[in-house]
Amino acid sequence: MRTLYRHARLATMAGELPWGWVERGALLVDGEQLAWVGADEALPAGLAADAEVELGGALVTPGLIDCHTHLVYGGDRAAEFELRLRGASYEAIARAGGGIRSTLAATRHASEDQLFASAAARARCLIAEGVTTIEIKSGYGLTEAQEAKCLGVARRIGRELPVSVRATSLAAHALPPEFEGRSDDYVDALIDWLPRQQAAGLVDAVDAFCETIGFTPAQTERIFTAATSLGLPVKLHAEQLSDQGGAALAARFGALSADHLEHLSATGVAAMAAAGTVAVLLPGAYYFLRDTQPPPVQALREAGVPMALATDHNPGTSPALSLLLMLNMACTLFRLTPEEAWRGVTVNGARALGLADRGRLAAGLRADFAVWDAEHPREMAYRFGHNPCRRSFFGGIERPRALHP
Ligand code: NIG
Ligand code: FE
């Protein structure tokens, strides 16, 4: 079945033109894929469609990609937010056994169905804004069975909702209380779980939190060695609160991405550029922790490091459920241009997940796209608290209109 979508204003995010702009464009969708993308009048005569859909000049972009989330967890951290407002720091709360560990307890207590219900509700918020691919990390279970439970919930989101899910194992997120004072033993344990997670089809990539309140560079290196020997790509929470040299370490392992990066050094930037590691910027966490040191965007830009953008949705540092809001925050807080921000949630978001089949509107790629009540995508970087997504297509199939406002 081939359907031709005509009379759209296309921001393809592909090719040389700014935004990959096509003023009067058309998309030919064949099954799950885009068979042809271009100017309306340039449609080759030989490309017959079974059906035509008139888009009436509406703006069309690729489906959005949220390449860094922690969507599966129990409870919330609203009380911790109040503590921080009274002066406690994120690190101090974590050291006192709160923070990630309090979410750990709530997640362990939650059933698979409860976790699915809460994570699916969050995923629907992202879907409403035209998101068609979501990365979901584990990291709030921290035993083999609990991590499998959370990764299984991530997989179930991908099966039951019209969205692609990439599941990342982040067992190296925090030290579980059972391993107090024995962090190297915990690293041994999580390395031992990996082949079984992989054999169960639960994991697409491996991540770690390399930080003074997380895992050391030496421990991260052990985890990365194990992951890469299994053929699993790696990513890293790097340089969020301090410079641990994590980004350069990740680059040495050919990491898909290094994420956060507020404290990234010039050495880290150069290593990422040489390795082609994507910088995933997370303005929601920067904002919510009231950080004052933004990531070195100008240095990343000059070095040609691709920049992606994500919600980092999690209960502790970024309870954000709007990727559109991140477009605005990346521009206002990090001084990205609107086009850079959009590349961050499309083409570079795909690259941060190692996915070459999406993130742009081009022949041969997945037919994941969104239709907007807007003249130009820069408007979504400009406004905030507003969702003009009206329709979206996932693998060539229109998602229920009720999912959109
Ligand atoms: O990406 N930095 C570590 N992980 C999360 C925070 C997790 C939490 O506080 O629950 C992040 O910011
Ligand atoms: Fe994160």
Side-chain angles (χ1 to χ4, degrees):
M1 170 79 182
R2 285 182 164 197
T3 308
L4 182 66
Y5 295 86
R6 305 198 78 125
H7 300 145
R9 312 178 73 234
L10 302 178
T12 67
M13 310 313 289
E16 296 305 310
L17 285 177
W19 304 89
W21 192 258
V22 183
E23 181 59 33
R24 280 178 65 85
L27 303 165
L28 182 66
V29 174
D30 188 355
E32 289 197 349
Q33 287 194 340
L34 294 166
W36 185 86
V37 178
D40 252 333
E41 68 273 9
L43 181 73
L47 280 182
D50 307 302
E52 279 195 20
V53 177
E54 168 63 46
L55 287 177
L59 173 67
V60 174
T61 68
L64 273 54
I65 296 172
D66 193 349
C67 68
H68 179 143
T69 84
H70 309 245
L71 219 60
V72 177
Y73 58 85
D76 66 60
R77 303 248 286 281
E80 176 183 318
F81 178 54
E82 290 182 312
L83 279 181
R84 285 202 294 110
L85 287 168
R86 288 207 295 268
S89 75
Y90 178 71
E91 287 102 318
I93 292 168
R95 287 210 176 84
I100 295 178
R101 278 199 191 178
S102 70
T103 302
L104 176 63
T107 306
R108 286 179 174 182
H109 275 107
S111 70
E112 203 264 51
D113 280 339
Q114 287 167 332
L115 290 175
F116 175 76
S118 60
R122 295 175 195 125
R124 275 187 214 101
C125 295
L126 298 173
I127 289 170
E129 293 187 339
V131 170
T132 47
T133 299
I134 307 176
E135 186 251 19
I136 301 178
K137 301 174 195 297
S138 67
Y140 292 117
L142 311 188
T143 67
E144 183 170 4
Q146 293 283 348
E147 285 288 292
K149 176 176 80 173
C150 295
L151 290 166
V153 169
R155 284 283 186 247
R156 188 172 158 197
I157 303 265
R159 278 197 309 276
E160 297 192 19
L161 271 61
V163 70
S164 291
V165 168
R166 301 299 283 177
T168 301
S169 172
L170 177 58
H173 195 195
L175 190 64
E178 310 82 76
F179 281 86
E180 192 62 59
R182 297 188 295 126
S183 60
D184 279 320
D185 292 348
Y186 178 59
V187 171
D188 289 340
L190 69 91
I191 286 174
D192 180 58
W193 308 339
L194 266 184
R196 288 188 292 280
Q197 289 177 339
Q198 185 184 32
L202 289 174
V203 52
D204 301 310
V206 174
D207 194 347
F209 183 30
C210 183
E211 192 53 69
T212 51
I213 57 167
F215 294 85
T216 65
Q219 291 168 335
T220 303
E221 179 159 0
R222 285 211 288 134
I223 296 162
F224 281 2
T225 304
T228 47
S229 75
L230 293 169
L232 288 168
V234 297
K235 317 168 71 68
L236 190 64
H237 281 71
E239 275 76 273
Q240 180 183 12
L241 307 168
S242 62
D243 181 11
Q244 300 287 311
L249 170 65
R252 265 206 285 129
F253 281 85
L256 290 174
S257 70
D259 305 35
H260 286 287
L261 304 175
E262 279 79 356
H263 297 265
L264 180 65
S265 67
T267 321
V269 173
M272 289 178 69
T277 296
V278 176
V280 177
L281 308 180
L282 304 168
Y286 173 89
Y287 162 80
F288 196 63
L289 292 180
R290 303 185 75 235
D291 203 341
T292 49
Q293 180 166 331
V297 164
Q298 184 57 20
L300 291 165
R301 191 183 273 139
E302 280 166 12
V305 176
M307 292 182 280
L309 192 60
T311 59
D312 190 19
H313 177 86
N314 76 77
T317 67
S318 188
L321 284 168
S322 169
L323 193 54
L324 293 181
L325 177 58
M326 299 305 120
L327 293 175
N328 177 269
M329 284 189 174
C331 296
T332 53
L333 300 174
F334 295 167
R335 313 312 283 168
L336 263 65
T337 66
E339 187 179 354
E340 283 172 333
W342 263 95
R343 288 189 178 277
V345 298
T346 54
V347 52
N348 291 338
R351 192 161 160 188
L353 298 177
L355 297 172
D357 64 345
R358 66 197 72 189
R360 291 170 292 139
L361 299 175
L365 302 195
R366 280 183 61 82
D368 291 349
F369 56 96
V371 183
W372 305 87
D373 181 14
E375 294 285 308
H376 193 282
R378 67 168 72 91
E379 290 168 40
M380 282 76 102
Y382 154 73
R383 282 197 190 88
F384 53 99
H386 175 61
N387 177 12
C389 186
R390 293 295 173 260
R391 303 171 67 177
S392 61
F393 294 76
F394 174 66
I397 295 177
E398 181 158 19
R399 301 194 290 197
R401 292 216 192 179
L403 288 170
H404 298 292

